[in-house]
Amino acid sequence: MNTEAQKKSLLLELIAFSTVDGQLHKREYDFLWHVAQELNISLDVFHDLFHQEIKPVVVKSEFQRIQQFYRLALIMHCDGILHEKEAIGIQQIAIEMGLNPSAVKRILDLMKKAPNAMIEPKVLLRVFQEQHN
């Protein structure tokens, strides 16, 4: 993420997705705060984002879009409860990001089978790269 606007947009998207089920669980909040810290976002700015609506900034790099999709997928699994709204929402977001739907489905299936919903970065990238061939 290069600009402050991109960083805030990323967090806003994560915040919106984490509350799609009508609740923000503590584990989701903790995950969001961890991402904010990685992006060098202060606690005050982070809390302020929960009350803002910023027009999403389009991320042009496919790698960054894949990273964002994976963060969203981790948020979806973070509270240990998979809601239908989350499953539908993440697929729609991935399509809007321009990510391959079959790669998205494969990643989500791999995450369901993984004991902690995490998959290796190499596997994540390989699944998306396979779709280019």
Side-chain angles (χ1 to χ4, degrees), residues 78-120:
C78 192
D79 62 2
I81 304 165
L82 294 177
H83 294 274
E84 185 178 339
K85 287 182 178 180
E86 290 173 328
I88 293 168
I90 196 164
Q91 290 177 2
Q92 184 60 39
I93 290 168
I95 288 169
E96 291 170 6
M97 289 177 158
L99 297 176
N100 183 291
S102 62
V104 167
K105 184 180 180 336
R106 284 187 56 205
I107 293 298
L108 293 174
D109 288 343
L110 287 171
M111 290 179 79
K112 264 187 200 175
K113 294 174 185 171
N116 60 1
M118 295 182 75
I119 57 175
E120 292 291 323

Side-chain angles (χ1 to χ4, degrees), residues 11 14-15 18-19 23-39 41 43 46-47 50 71 74-79:
L11 278 170
L14 290 170
I15 289 167
S18 67
T19 58
Q23 294 183 309
L24 179 65
H25 298 274
K26 180 175 179 354
R27 292 182 74 191
E28 291 169 326
Y29 174 87
D30 292 343
F31 180 85
L32 291 167
W33 174 232
H34 179 74
V35 172
Q37 289 174 310
E38 290 293 318
L39 296 173
I41 301 291
L43 184 62
F46 174 67
H47 284 158
F50 284 90
R71 286 183 190 113
L74 287 172
I75 283 260
M76 183 173 78
H77 290 277
C78 192
D79 62 2

Side-chain angles (χ1 to χ4, degrees), residues 112-130:
K112 264 187 200 175
K113 294 174 185 171
N116 60 1
M118 295 182 75
I119 57 175
E120 292 291 323
K122 291 177 188 175
V123 173
L124 177 69
L125 293 175
R126 188 173 358 135
V127 168
F128 281 98
Q129 287 172 346
E130 287 172 0

